[in-house]
Amino acid sequence: MADHLRDRFTAFFQKNVANPVMRRNPLQTLLETTGRKSGQPRRTPLGGSRVGNEFWFVSEFGDQSQYVKNIQANPRVRVRLRGRWHSGVAHLVPDDDPRRRLQSLPSFNSFGVRTFGTNLLTIRVDLDN
């Protein structure tokens, strides 16, 4: 029960407070998916790391995250890194150890994901450019 309330509070805070503010930062990393119902672009601030032509990150709510559901419906995404957009294809990587993956990602975001996440899931985006 406590985890459920924490998840609901975290989702509410992110959607209504943190994400709108963070999306305005031109250097904030963003994931853009296509809404599975609306067909409209959906932009989510997140942390992760580019390794060659791949971008890795961890979803704190796994397949319950709206952007993960959007990826499942359409894996074509865009990622904004340092103010520049990159197109790619997202892949859910359930066999990857998300806690270990977080150790290689930026510590500020990783702390939040570890603290509030209840269903961690690694995601890799194969970048076109």
Side-chain angles (χ1 to χ4, degrees), residues 8 10 24 45 58 86 103-104 118 126:
R8 287 184 59 182
T10 301
R24 291 188 195 110
V58 175
H86 305 268
Q103 295 173 355
S104 69
T118 55
D126 295 332

Side-chain angles (χ1 to χ4, degrees), residues 22-127:
M22 292 169 55
R23 275 192 287 265
R24 291 188 195 110
N25 177 349
L27 296 180
Q28 170 66 48
T29 299
L30 295 177
L31 173 70
E32 183 181 84
T33 61
T34 301
R36 64 195 176 284
K37 296 177 185 175
S38 69
Q40 298 298 309
R42 301 292 182 218
R43 293 181 176 173
T44 304
L46 48 76
S49 187
R50 183 174 183 164
V51 179
N53 286 329
E54 299 172 339
F55 178 75
W56 291 84
F57 66 100
V58 175
S59 169
E60 61 195 326
F61 300 122
D63 59 5
Q64 297 305 302
S65 294
Q66 296 302 313
Y67 66 83
V68 172
K69 291 177 182 182
N70 290 343
I71 288 170
Q72 289 172 320
N74 179 358
R76 292 292 312 170
V77 301
R78 293 193 320 150
V79 180
R80 186 176 77 182
L81 301 168
R82 296 186 181 111
R84 183 168 173 248
W85 286 101
H86 305 268
S87 297
V89 178
H91 303 275
L92 309 183
V93 191
D95 293 338
D96 191 67
D97 180 347
R99 294 202 180 278
R100 179 172 224 155
R101 178 69 57 187
L102 285 169
Q103 295 173 355
S104 69
L105 301 178
S107 59
F108 178 75
N109 182 73
S110 295
F111 172 78
V113 172
R114 275 194 308 276
T115 302
F116 299 109
T118 55
N119 185 23
L120 303 181
L121 174 66
T122 301
I123 300 172
R124 183 190 78 239
V125 177
D126 295 332
L127 302 170

